Amino acid sequence: DIQVTQFPSSLSASVGDRVNITCRASQAISSYLNWYQQQPGKAPELLIYGASTLRNGIPSRFSGTKSGTTFTLTITSLQFEDFATYYCQQGYTSSLYTFGQGTRLDIK
Amino acid sequence: QVQLQESGPRLVKPSETLFLTCSVSDDSLRGYYWTWVRQSAGKGLEWIGRIYINGASNYNPSMKSRLTMSVDASKKEFSLTLTSVTAADSAVYYCARDREDSFGQLDYWGHGVLVSVSS
């Protein structure tokens, strides 16, 4: 099974900051890595798919990059509504998708 | 804009069977895989499995022996059946559309239904 290790598990930042969240896959998954944002009590929302493609309607302060089996979600100029939990998900093995452990982003 | 809505019992007794249904807003059942994901209280997301319009399915090996999914295109819905439930199956259950034709992203989600397993 492909494991996806996400870190950090939690992060504190201020409005206007830039933050990075990382996921590392246990083996090569090409660009089959997706990012989600989950607000408390809500369903996850797709932000980025294919490692770096921003979903329509998602602000451009969100971006995704890939380097080998390491994937990074960057949020520049944090806004109040960005404080949430973020998950990565590998879609490479269609018989068993796996999610990262999640990163909780709090206001400092 | 695709809309999904989960429905089913909020309380199930241990050892009994959980049955959930996801209704899809339009005719988009065809051409996509449809997925179930769950989230235990305060925990992360767990992929349960998925089903295609022709009945082809993939299940999480950790639940495979207890799990069945089905789809009914005429009713625009798909379903999950989980047998022999325990307290560990208490969670919010989400249904979602799976873009297996792209990068496996889950692009539309239901609001989720909270299921508790308790006697």
Side-chain angles (χ1 to χ4, degrees), chain A residues 12-102:
Chain A
S12 293
S14 301
V15 172
D17 284 354
R18 172 191 176 109
V19 298
N20 291 322
I21 299 169
T22 300
C23 278
R24 183 166 294 138
S26 59
Q27 64 187 71
I29 58 170
S30 187
S31 294
Y32 287 76
L33 193 287
N34 310 303
W35 291 98
Y36 302 85
Q37 177 193 72
Q38 186 178 32
Q39 298 287 358
K42 301 286 189 181
E45 178 186 11
L46 177 67
L47 299 176
I48 289 172
Y49 60 95
S52 60
T53 301
L54 201 62
R55 186 187 189 183
N56 284 345
I58 301 300
S60 59
R61 62 181 180 272
F62 293 90
S63 63
T65 58
K66 167 185 180 292
S67 177
T69 59
T70 299
F71 300 82
T72 301
L73 171 69
T74 299
I75 314 172
T76 57
S77 189
L78 273 171
Q79 301 299 301
F80 182 75
E81 60 267 27
D82 300 336
F83 292 96
T85 300
Y86 293 85
Y87 293 93
C88 61
Q89 170 245 333
Q90 66 83 11
Y92 186 77
T93 48
S94 55
S95 59
L96 179 56
Y97 290 163
T98 47
F99 290 90
Q101 295 80 2

